Coordinates of all heavy atoms in Angstrom, one line a residue:
M1 N -32.4 47.6 -32.1 CA -32.3 46.3 -32.8 C -31.2 46.3 -33.9 O -30.5 45.4 -34.0 CB -33.6 45.8 -33.4 CG -34.4 44.9 -32.5 SD -35.9 44.4 -33.2 CE -35.4 43.5 -34.6
T2 N -31.1 47.4 -34.6 CA -30.1 47.5 -35.7 C -28.8 48.0 -35.3 O -27.9 48.0 -36.1 CB -30.7 48.4 -36.8 OG1 -30.8 49.7 -36.3 CG2 -32.0 47.9 -37.3
G3 N -28.6 48.4 -34.0 CA -27.3 48.9 -33.5 C -27.1 50.3 -33.9 O -26.0 50.8 -33.8
D4 N -28.1 51.0 -34.4 CA -27.9 52.4 -34.9 C -27.9 53.4 -33.8 O -27.3 54.5 -33.9 CB -29.0 52.8 -35.9 CG -28.9 52.0 -37.2 OD1 -27.8 51.5 -37.5 OD2 -30.0 51.9 -37.8
G5 N -28.5 53.1 -32.6 CA -28.6 54.1 -31.5 C -27.8 53.6 -30.3 O -27.3 52.5 -30.2
P6 N -27.8 54.4 -29.3 CA -27.2 54.0 -28.1 C -28.0 53.0 -27.3 O -29.2 52.9 -27.5 CB -27.0 55.4 -27.3 CG -28.2 56.2 -27.8 CD -28.3 55.8 -29.2
L7 N -27.4 52.3 -26.4 CA -28.1 51.4 -25.5 C -29.0 52.2 -24.6 O -28.6 53.3 -24.1 CB -27.1 50.6 -24.6 CG -26.4 49.5 -25.3 CD1 -25.4 48.9 -24.2 CD2 -27.3 48.4 -25.8
P8 N -30.2 51.7 -24.4 CA -31.1 52.3 -23.4 C -30.3 52.3 -22.0 O -29.6 51.3 -21.7 CB -32.3 51.4 -23.3 CG -32.3 50.7 -24.6 CD -30.9 50.5 -25.0
A9 N -30.5 53.3 -21.2 CA -29.8 53.4 -19.9 C -30.1 52.2 -19.0 O -29.2 51.7 -18.4 CB -30.2 54.7 -19.2
E10 N -31.3 51.7 -19.1 CA -31.7 50.6 -18.2 C -30.8 49.3 -18.6 O -30.4 48.6 -17.8 CB -33.2 50.2 -18.3 CG -34.1 51.3 -17.8 CD -34.3 52.5 -18.9 OE1 -33.8 52.3 -20.0 OE2 -35.0 53.4 -18.5
L11 N -30.6 49.1 -19.9 CA -29.9 48.0 -20.4 C -28.4 48.1 -20.0 O -27.7 47.2 -19.6 CB -30.0 47.8 -21.9 CG -29.4 46.6 -22.5 CD1 -29.8 45.3 -21.8 CD2 -29.6 46.6 -24.0
L12 N -27.9 49.3 -20.1 CA -26.5 49.6 -19.7 C -26.3 49.3 -18.2 O -25.3 48.7 -17.8 CB -26.1 51.0 -20.0 CG -24.7 51.5 -19.6 CD1 -23.6 50.6 -20.2 CD2 -24.5 52.9 -19.8
E13 N -27.3 49.7 -17.4 CA -27.2 49.4 -16.0 C -27.2 47.9 -15.7 O -26.4 47.5 -14.9 CB -28.4 50.1 -15.3 CG -28.2 51.6 -15.2 CD -29.4 52.3 -14.6 OE1 -30.4 51.7 -14.3 OE2 -29.3 53.5 -14.4
V14 N -28.1 47.2 -16.4 CA -28.1 45.7 -16.2 C -26.8 45.1 -16.6 O -26.2 44.2 -15.9 CB -29.3 45.1 -16.9 CG1 -29.2 43.6 -16.9 CG2 -30.6 45.6 -16.3
D15 N -26.2 45.6 -17.8 CA -25.0 45.0 -18.2 C -23.8 45.3 -17.2 O -23.0 44.4 -17.0 CB -24.6 45.7 -19.6 CG -25.4 45.2 -20.7 OD1 -26.1 44.2 -20.6 OD2 -25.3 45.8 -21.8
L16 N -23.8 46.5 -16.6 CA -22.8 46.8 -15.6 C -23.0 45.9 -14.4 O -22.0 45.4 -13.9 CB -22.9 48.3 -15.2 CG -22.4 49.3 -16.2 CD1 -22.8 50.7 -15.7 CD2 -21.0 49.2 -16.4
C17 N -24.2 45.7 -14.0 CA -24.4 44.9 -12.8 C -23.9 43.4 -13.1 O -23.3 42.8 -12.2 CB -25.9 44.8 -12.4 SG -26.5 46.4 -11.7
E18 N -24.2 42.9 -14.3 CA -23.8 41.6 -14.6 C -22.2 41.5 -14.7 O -21.6 40.6 -14.2 CB -24.4 41.2 -16.0 CG -25.8 40.8 -15.9 CD -26.4 40.4 -17.3 OE1 -25.7 40.5 -18.3 OE2 -27.5 40.0 -17.3
K19 N -21.6 42.5 -15.3 CA -20.2 42.5 -15.5 C -19.4 42.6 -14.1 O -18.4 41.9 -14.0 CB -19.8 43.7 -16.3 CG -18.3 43.8 -16.6 CD -18.0 44.9 -17.6 CE -16.6 44.9 -18.0 NZ -16.2 43.9 -18.9
F20 N -19.9 43.4 -13.2 CA -19.2 43.5 -11.9 C -19.9 42.8 -10.8 O -19.3 42.9 -9.7 CB -19.1 45.0 -11.6 CG -18.3 45.8 -12.6 CD1 -18.9 46.7 -13.5 CD2 -17.0 45.6 -12.7 CE1 -18.2 47.4 -14.4 CE2 -16.2 46.3 -13.6 CZ -16.8 47.2 -14.5
G21 N -20.9 42.1 -11.0 CA -21.6 41.3 -9.9 C -22.3 42.2 -8.9 O -22.3 41.8 -7.8
W22 N -22.8 43.4 -9.4 CA -23.4 44.3 -8.5 C -24.9 44.1 -8.5 O -25.5 43.6 -9.5 CB -23.1 45.7 -8.9 CG -21.7 46.2 -8.7 CD1 -20.8 45.7 -7.9 CD2 -21.1 47.2 -9.5 NE1 -19.6 46.4 -8.0 CE2 -19.7 47.3 -9.0 CE3 -21.5 48.1 -10.4 CZ2 -18.8 48.2 -9.5 CZ3 -20.6 49.0 -10.9 CH2 -19.3 49.1 -10.5
T23 N -25.6 44.6 -7.5 CA -27.0 44.7 -7.5 C -27.3 46.1 -8.0 O -26.3 47.0 -8.1 CB -27.7 44.6 -6.1 OG1 -27.2 45.7 -5.3 CG2 -27.3 43.3 -5.5
L24 N -28.5 46.4 -8.4 CA -28.8 47.8 -8.8 C -28.5 48.8 -7.7 O -28.1 49.9 -8.0 CB -30.3 47.9 -9.3 CG -30.5 47.2 -10.7 CD1 -32.0 47.2 -11.0 CD2 -29.8 47.9 -11.8
D25 N -28.8 48.4 -6.5 CA -28.5 49.4 -5.4 C -27.0 49.6 -5.3 O -26.6 50.7 -5.0 CB -29.0 48.8 -4.0 CG -30.5 48.9 -3.9 OD1 -31.1 49.7 -4.6 OD2 -31.1 48.1 -3.1
E26 N -26.2 48.6 -5.4 CA -24.7 48.7 -5.4 C -24.3 49.6 -6.6 O -23.4 50.4 -6.4 CB -24.0 47.4 -5.4 CG -24.2 46.6 -4.2 CD -23.7 45.2 -4.3 OE1 -23.9 44.5 -5.4 OE2 -23.2 44.7 -3.3
L27 N -24.9 49.4 -7.7 CA -24.6 50.3 -8.9 C -24.9 51.7 -8.5 O -24.1 52.6 -8.9 CB -25.3 49.8 -10.1 CG -25.1 50.7 -11.4 CD1 -23.7 50.7 -11.8 CD2 -26.0 50.3 -12.5
D28 N -26.0 52.0 -7.9 CA -26.3 53.3 -7.6 C -25.3 54.0 -6.6 O -25.1 55.2 -6.6 CB -27.7 53.4 -6.9 CG -28.8 53.1 -7.9 OD1 -28.6 53.3 -9.1 OD2 -29.9 52.8 -7.4
G29 N -24.7 53.1 -5.8 CA -23.6 53.6 -4.9 C -22.3 53.9 -5.5 O -21.4 54.5 -4.9
Q30 N -22.1 53.5 -6.8 CA -20.8 53.7 -7.4 C -20.7 55.1 -7.9 O -21.7 55.8 -8.1 CB -20.7 52.7 -8.6 CG -20.7 51.3 -8.2 CD -19.6 50.9 -7.2 OE1 -18.4 51.3 -7.4 NE2 -19.9 50.2 -6.2
D31 N -19.5 55.5 -8.1 CA -19.2 56.8 -8.7 C -19.4 56.7 -10.2 O -18.5 56.3 -11.0 CB -17.7 57.2 -8.4 CG -17.4 58.6 -8.9 OD1 -18.2 59.3 -9.6 OD2 -16.2 59.0 -8.6
E32 N -20.6 57.1 -10.7 CA -20.9 56.9 -12.1 C -20.0 57.7 -13.0 O -19.7 57.2 -14.1 CB -22.4 57.4 -12.3 CG -23.0 57.0 -13.6 CD -24.4 57.3 -13.7 OE1 -25.2 57.0 -12.7 OE2 -24.9 57.8 -14.7
S33 N -19.5 58.8 -12.6 CA -18.6 59.6 -13.4 C -17.3 58.8 -13.7 O -16.5 59.2 -14.6 CB -18.3 61.0 -12.8 OG -17.6 60.8 -11.6
R34 N -16.9 57.9 -12.8 CA -15.7 57.0 -13.0 C -16.1 55.8 -13.8 O -15.3 55.3 -14.6 CB -15.1 56.7 -11.7 CG -14.3 57.8 -11.0 CD -13.6 57.3 -9.8 NE -12.7 56.3 -10.1 CZ -12.4 55.3 -9.3 NH1 -12.9 55.3 -8.1 NH2 -11.5 54.4 -9.6
V35 N -17.2 55.2 -13.4 CA -17.5 53.9 -14.0 C -17.9 53.9 -15.5 O -17.3 53.2 -16.3 CB -18.7 53.2 -13.2 CG1 -19.2 52.0 -13.9 CG2 -18.4 52.9 -11.8
L36 N -18.7 54.9 -15.9 CA -19.2 54.9 -17.3 C -18.1 55.2 -18.3 O -18.0 54.5 -19.3 CB -20.3 55.9 -17.5 CG -21.6 55.5 -16.8 CD1 -22.7 56.5 -17.0 CD2 -22.1 54.1 -17.2
P37 N -17.2 56.1 -18.1 CA -16.1 56.3 -19.0 C -15.2 55.1 -19.2 O -14.7 54.7 -20.2 CB -15.3 57.5 -18.5 CG -16.3 58.3 -17.7 CD -17.2 57.2 -17.1
G38 N -15.0 54.4 -18.0 CA -14.2 53.2 -18.1 C -14.8 52.1 -18.9 O -14.2 51.4 -19.7
V39 N -16.1 51.9 -18.7 CA -16.9 50.9 -19.5 C -16.9 51.3 -20.9 O -16.7 50.4 -21.8 CB -18.3 50.8 -18.9 CG1 -19.2 49.9 -19.8 CG2 -18.3 50.2 -17.5
R40 N -17.1 52.6 -21.3 CA -17.1 53.0 -22.7 C -15.7 52.7 -23.3 O -15.6 52.2 -24.4 CB -17.4 54.5 -22.8 CG -18.9 54.8 -22.5 CD -19.1 56.2 -22.8 NE -20.5 56.5 -22.3 CZ -20.8 57.3 -21.3 NH1 -19.8 57.8 -20.6 NH2 -22.0 57.5 -21.0
A41 N -14.7 53.0 -22.6 CA -13.3 52.7 -23.1 C -13.1 51.2 -23.3 O -12.5 50.8 -24.3 CB -12.3 53.2 -22.1
A42 N -13.6 50.4 -22.4 CA -13.5 48.9 -22.5 C -14.2 48.4 -23.8 O -13.8 47.5 -24.5 CB -14.0 48.2 -21.3
V43 N -15.4 49.0 -24.0 CA -16.2 48.6 -25.2 C -15.4 49.0 -26.5 O -15.3 48.2 -27.4 CB -17.6 49.3 -25.2 CG1 -18.3 49.1 -26.5 CG2 -18.4 48.6 -24.1
L44 N -14.9 50.2 -26.5 CA -14.1 50.7 -27.7 C -12.9 49.8 -27.9 O -12.6 49.4 -29.0 CB -13.6 52.1 -27.5 CG -14.7 53.2 -27.6 CD1 -14.1 54.6 -27.2 CD2 -15.3 53.2 -29.0
R45 N -12.2 49.4 -26.8 CA -11.0 48.5 -26.9 C -11.4 47.2 -27.5 O -10.8 46.7 -28.4 CB -10.4 48.4 -25.6 CG -9.2 47.4 -25.6 CD -8.5 47.2 -24.3 NE -9.5 46.6 -23.4 CZ -9.3 46.6 -22.0 NH1 -8.2 47.1 -21.5 NH2 -10.2 46.0 -21.3
S46 N -12.5 46.7 -27.0 CA -13.0 45.4 -27.5 C -13.3 45.4 -29.0 O -13.0 44.5 -29.8 CB -14.3 45.0 -26.7 OG -14.8 43.8 -27.2
R47 N -14.0 46.5 -29.4 CA -14.3 46.6 -30.9 C -13.1 46.8 -31.7 O -13.0 46.2 -32.8 CB -15.3 47.8 -31.1 CG -16.7 47.5 -30.5 CD -17.7 48.5 -31.1 NE -19.0 48.2 -30.5 CZ -19.8 47.3 -31.0 NH1 -19.5 46.5 -32.0 NH2 -21.0 47.1 -30.5
L48 N -12.1 47.5 -31.2 CA -10.8 47.7 -32.0 C -10.1 46.4 -32.0 O -9.5 46.1 -33.0 CB -10.0 48.8 -31.4 CG -10.6 50.2 -31.5 CD1 -9.8 51.2 -30.7 CD2 -10.8 50.6 -32.9
E49 N -10.1 45.6 -30.9 CA -9.4 44.3 -30.9 C -10.1 43.4 -31.9 O -9.5 42.5 -32.6 CB -9.4 43.7 -29.5 CG -8.5 44.4 -28.6 CD -8.5 43.9 -27.2 OE1 -9.5 43.1 -26.8 OE2 -7.7 44.3 -26.4
N50 N -11.4 43.5 -32.1 CA -12.2 42.6 -33.1 C -11.7 42.9 -34.5 O -11.5 42.0 -35.3 CB -13.7 42.9 -33.0 CG -14.3 42.3 -31.7 OD1 -13.7 41.5 -31.0 ND2 -15.5 42.8 -31.4
V51 N -11.5 44.2 -34.8 CA -11.0 44.6 -36.1 C -9.6 44.2 -36.3 O -9.2 43.7 -37.4 CB -11.2 46.1 -36.4 CG1 -10.6 46.5 -37.7 CG2 -12.6 46.5 -36.3
R52 N -8.7 44.3 -35.3 CA -7.4 43.9 -35.4 C -7.3 42.4 -35.7 O -6.6 41.9 -36.5 CB -6.6 44.2 -34.1 CG -5.1 43.8 -34.1 CD -4.4 44.0 -32.8 NE -5.1 43.4 -31.7 CZ -5.1 42.1 -31.4 NH1 -4.4 41.3 -32.1 NH2 -5.7 41.6 -30.3
A53 N -8.1 41.6 -35.0 CA -8.2 40.1 -35.2 C -8.7 39.8 -36.6 O -8.2 39.0 -37.3 CB -9.1 39.5 -34.2
F54 N -9.6 40.6 -37.1 CA -10.2 40.5 -38.5 C -9.0 40.7 -39.5 O -8.8 39.9 -40.4 CB -11.3 41.5 -38.7 CG -11.7 41.6 -40.1 CD1 -12.6 40.6 -40.7 CD2 -11.4 42.7 -40.8 CE1 -13.0 40.8 -42.0 CE2 -11.8 42.9 -42.1 CZ -12.6 41.9 -42.7
L55 N -8.2 41.7 -39.2 CA -7.1 42.1 -40.2 C -6.0 41.0 -40.1 O -5.5 40.6 -41.1 CB -6.6 43.5 -39.9 CG -7.5 44.6 -40.1 CD1 -7.0 45.9 -39.6 CD2 -7.9 44.7 -41.6
E56 N -5.7 40.6 -38.9 CA -4.6 39.7 -38.7 C -4.9 38.3 -39.3 O -4.0 37.6 -39.7 CB -4.2 39.6 -37.2 CG -3.4 40.8 -36.7 CD -3.1 40.7 -35.2 OE1 -3.5 39.7 -34.6 OE2 -2.4 41.6 -34.8
T57 N -6.2 37.9 -39.2 CA -6.6 36.6 -39.8 C -7.1 36.7 -41.2 O -7.6 35.7 -41.7 CB -7.7 36.0 -38.9 OG1 -8.9 36.8 -39.0 CG2 -7.2 35.8 -37.4
Q58 N -6.9 37.8 -41.8 CA -7.3 38.1 -43.2 C -8.8 37.7 -43.4 O -9.1 37.1 -44.4 CB -6.4 37.3 -44.1 CG -5.0 37.8 -44.0 CD -4.0 37.0 -44.9 OE1 -4.4 35.9 -45.4 NE2 -2.8 37.5 -45.1
G59 N -9.6 38.1 -42.4 CA -11.0 38.0 -42.6 C -11.6 36.7 -42.0 O -12.8 36.5 -42.0
R60 N -10.8 35.8 -41.5 CA -11.3 34.5 -40.9 C -12.1 34.8 -39.7 O -13.1 34.2 -39.4 CB -10.2 33.5 -40.7 CG -9.7 32.9 -42.0 CD -8.7 31.7 -41.7 NE -7.6 32.1 -40.9 CZ -6.5 32.6 -41.3 NH1 -6.3 32.9 -42.6 NH2 -5.5 32.9 -40.5
M61 N -11.6 35.7 -38.8 CA -12.3 36.2 -37.7 C -13.2 37.3 -38.2 O -12.7 38.2 -38.8 CB -11.4 36.7 -36.6 CG -10.4 35.7 -36.1 SD -11.0 34.6 -34.8 CE -11.6 35.7 -33.6
K62 N -14.4 37.3 -37.9 CA -15.4 38.3 -38.4 C -15.4 39.6 -37.5 O -15.3 39.5 -36.3 CB -16.8 37.8 -38.5 CG -16.9 36.6 -39.5 CD -16.4 37.0 -40.9 CE -16.5 35.9 -41.8 NZ -15.7 36.1 -43.0
A63 N -15.5 40.7 -38.1 CA -15.8 42.0 -37.4 C -17.2 42.4 -37.8 O -17.6 42.3 -39.0 CB -14.7 43.0 -37.8
T64 N -17.9 43.0 -36.9 CA -19.2 43.5 -37.2 C -19.1 44.8 -37.9 O -18.1 45.5 -37.9 CB -20.1 43.6 -35.9 OG1 -19.5 44.7 -35.1 CG2 -20.1 42.3 -35.1
E65 N -20.3 45.3 -38.4 CA -20.3 46.6 -39.0 C -20.0 47.7 -38.0 O -19.3 48.6 -38.3 CB -21.7 46.8 -39.7 CG -21.8 48.1 -40.4 CD -23.1 48.2 -41.2 OE1 -23.7 47.2 -41.6 OE2 -23.6 49.4 -41.2
R66 N -20.5 47.5 -36.8 CA -20.3 48.5 -35.7 C -18.8 48.5 -35.4 O -18.2 49.6 -35.1 CB -21.1 48.1 -34.5 CG -21.0 49.2 -33.4 CD -21.7 50.5 -33.9 NE -21.6 51.4 -32.8 CZ -21.2 52.7 -32.9 NH1 -21.0 53.2 -34.1 NH2 -21.1 53.5 -31.9
D67 N -18.1 47.3 -35.3 CA -16.7 47.3 -35.1 C -15.9 48.1 -36.1 O -15.1 48.9 -35.8 CB -16.1 45.8 -35.2 CG -16.6 44.9 -34.1 OD1 -17.0 45.4 -33.0 OD2 -16.6 43.7 -34.3
L68 N -16.3 48.0 -37.4 CA -15.7 48.7 -38.5 C -16.0 50.2 -38.4 O -15.1 51.0 -38.7 CB -16.1 48.1 -39.8 CG -15.7 46.7 -40.0 CD1 -16.2 46.2 -41.3 CD2 -14.2 46.5 -40.0
E69 N -17.2 50.6 -37.9 CA -17.5 52.0 -37.8 C -16.6 52.6 -36.7 O -16.1 53.7 -36.8 CB -19.0 52.2 -37.4 CG -19.9 51.9 -38.5 CD -21.4 51.8 -38.1 OE1 -21.7 52.0 -36.9 OE2 -22.2 51.6 -38.9
V70 N -16.4 51.9 -35.6 CA -15.5 52.4 -34.5 C -14.1 52.5 -35.0 O -13.4 53.4 -34.7 CB -15.6 51.4 -33.3 CG1 -14.5 51.8 -32.2 CG2 -17.0 51.5 -32.6
W71 N -13.6 51.5 -35.8 CA -12.3 51.6 -36.4 C -12.1 52.8 -37.2 O -11.1 53.6 -37.1 CB -12.1 50.3 -37.2 CG -10.7 50.2 -37.9 CD1 -10.4 50.5 -39.1 CD2 -9.5 49.7 -37.3 NE1 -9.1 50.3 -39.4 CE2 -8.5 49.7 -38.3 CE3 -9.2 49.2 -36.0 CZ2 -7.2 49.3 -38.0 CZ3 -7.9 48.7 -35.8 CH2 -7.0 48.8 -36.8
K72 N -13.1 53.1 -38.1 CA -13.1 54.3 -38.9 C -13.1 55.6 -38.1 O -12.3 56.5 -38.3 CB -14.3 54.3 -39.8 CG -14.4 55.5 -40.7 CD -15.6 55.5 -41.6 CE -15.7 56.8 -42.4 NZ -16.9 57.0 -43.1
W73 N -13.9 55.6 -37.0 CA -13.9 56.8 -36.1 C -12.6 57.0 -35.5 O -12.1 58.1 -35.4 CB -15.0 56.6 -35.1 CG -15.0 57.6 -34.0 CD1 -15.5 58.8 -34.0 CD2 -14.4 57.4 -32.7 NE1 -15.2 59.4 -32.8 CE2 -14.6 58.6 -32.0 CE3 -13.7 56.3 -32.1 CZ2 -14.1 58.7 -30.7 CZ3 -13.3 56.5 -30.8 CH2 -13.4 57.7 -30.1
A74 N -12.0 55.9 -35.0 CA -10.7 56.0 -34.3 C -9.6 56.5 -35.3 O -8.8 57.4 -34.9 CB -10.3 54.6 -33.8
H75 N -9.6 56.1 -36.5 CA -8.7 56.6 -37.5 C -8.9 58.1 -37.8 O -8.0 58.9 -37.9 CB -8.7 55.8 -38.8 CG -7.9 54.6 -38.7 ND1 -6.5 54.6 -38.9 CD2 -8.2 53.3 -38.5 CE1 -6.1 53.4 -38.8 NE2 -7.1 52.6 -38.5
E76 N -10.2 58.5 -37.9 CA -10.5 59.9 -38.1 C -10.0 60.8 -36.9 O -9.5 61.9 -37.1 CB -12.0 60.1 -38.3 CG -12.5 59.5 -39.6 CD -14.0 59.5 -39.8 OE1 -14.7 59.8 -38.8 OE2 -14.4 59.1 -40.9
V77 N -10.2 60.3 -35.7 CA -9.8 61.0 -34.5 C -8.2 61.1 -34.5 O -7.7 62.2 -34.3 CB -10.3 60.4 -33.2 CG1 -9.6 60.9 -32.0 CG2 -11.8 60.5 -33.1
A78 N -7.6 60.0 -34.8 CA -6.1 60.0 -34.8 C -5.6 61.0 -35.9 O -4.6 61.7 -35.6 CB -5.6 58.6 -35.1
E79 N -6.2 61.0 -37.0 CA -5.8 61.9 -38.1 C -6.0 63.4 -37.7 O -5.2 64.2 -38.1 CB -6.5 61.6 -39.4 CG -6.0 60.3 -40.0 CD -6.8 59.9 -41.3 OE1 -7.7 60.7 -41.7 OE2 -6.5 58.8 -41.9
S80 N -7.1 63.6 -37.1 CA -7.4 65.0 -36.7 C -6.5 65.5 -35.6 O -6.3 66.7 -35.5 CB -8.9 65.2 -36.3 OG -9.1 64.6 -35.0
E81 N -5.9 64.6 -34.8 CA -5.0 65.0 -33.8 C -3.5 65.1 -34.2 O -2.7 65.6 -33.4 CB -5.2 64.1 -32.6 CG -6.5 64.3 -31.9 CD -6.8 63.4 -30.7 OE1 -5.9 62.5 -30.4 OE2 -7.8 63.5 -30.0
S82 N -3.2 64.5 -35.3 CA -1.8 64.5 -35.7 C -1.5 65.8 -36.4 O -2.3 66.4 -37.1 CB -1.5 63.3 -36.7 OG -2.3 63.5 -37.9
P83 N -0.2 66.3 -36.2 CA 0.1 67.6 -36.8 C 0.3 67.5 -38.3 O 0.6 66.4 -38.8 CB 1.5 67.9 -36.1 CG 2.0 66.6 -35.6 CD 0.8 65.7 -35.4
D84 N -0.1 68.6 -38.9 CA 0.1 68.6 -40.4 C 1.5 68.6 -40.8 O 2.3 69.3 -40.2 CB -0.7 69.8 -41.0 CG -2.2 69.8 -40.8 OD1 -2.7 68.6 -40.9 OD2 -2.8 70.8 -40.7
P85 N 1.9 67.9 -41.9 CA 3.3 67.9 -42.4 C 3.7 69.2 -42.9 O 3.0 70.0 -43.3 CB 3.3 66.8 -43.4 CG 1.9 66.4 -43.7 CD 1.0 67.0 -42.7

């Protein structure tokens, strides 16, 4: 409820079915190792776009606390991968 933990697997499966118009049987037939990383990347992109919109509109478009947490995480990853001066 508070967004502190991961989605239950069952909810993720239902979300995937809704997004792609699949039945649960069709979802079972998909290559899960390909589908899940792509969906995770799409969620990250969406959250980062929310923060970008928040910044570009100077706060008129709202970003959630989770959006901002993902933004912070992305900056930490980028900083850890950049070479030291």
Side-chain angles (χ1 to χ4, degrees):
M1 265 179 63
T2 62
D4 293 337
L7 284 177
E10 297 82 4
L11 184 56
L12 176 60
E13 289 177 353
V14 169
D15 287 349
L16 286 172
C17 287
E18 287 179 352
K19 182 174 185 74
F20 297 108
W22 294 334
T23 65
L24 288 171
D25 286 339
E26 289 171 324
L27 175 62
D28 289 341
Q30 297 302 313
D31 181 358
E32 194 171 314
S33 64
R34 284 187 58 212
V35 172
L36 292 182
V39 171
R40 286 185 189 111
V43 169
L44 288 174
R45 177 180 62 192
S46 175
R47 291 198 179 274
L48 294 172
E49 286 174 353
N50 290 346
V51 174
R52 184 185 50 78
F54 170 77
L55 294 171
E56 287 179 355
T57 64
Q58 298 176 347
R60 288 188 304 276
M61 300 278 302
K62 298 299 178 196
T64 68
E65 185 175 325
R66 187 67 180 137
D67 293 337
L68 296 174
E69 289 171 1
V70 169
W71 181 264
K72 179 182 175 189
W73 169 82
H75 275 279
E76 289 170 354
V77 168
E79 287 176 2
S80 71
E81 292 180 354
S82 65
D84 291 328

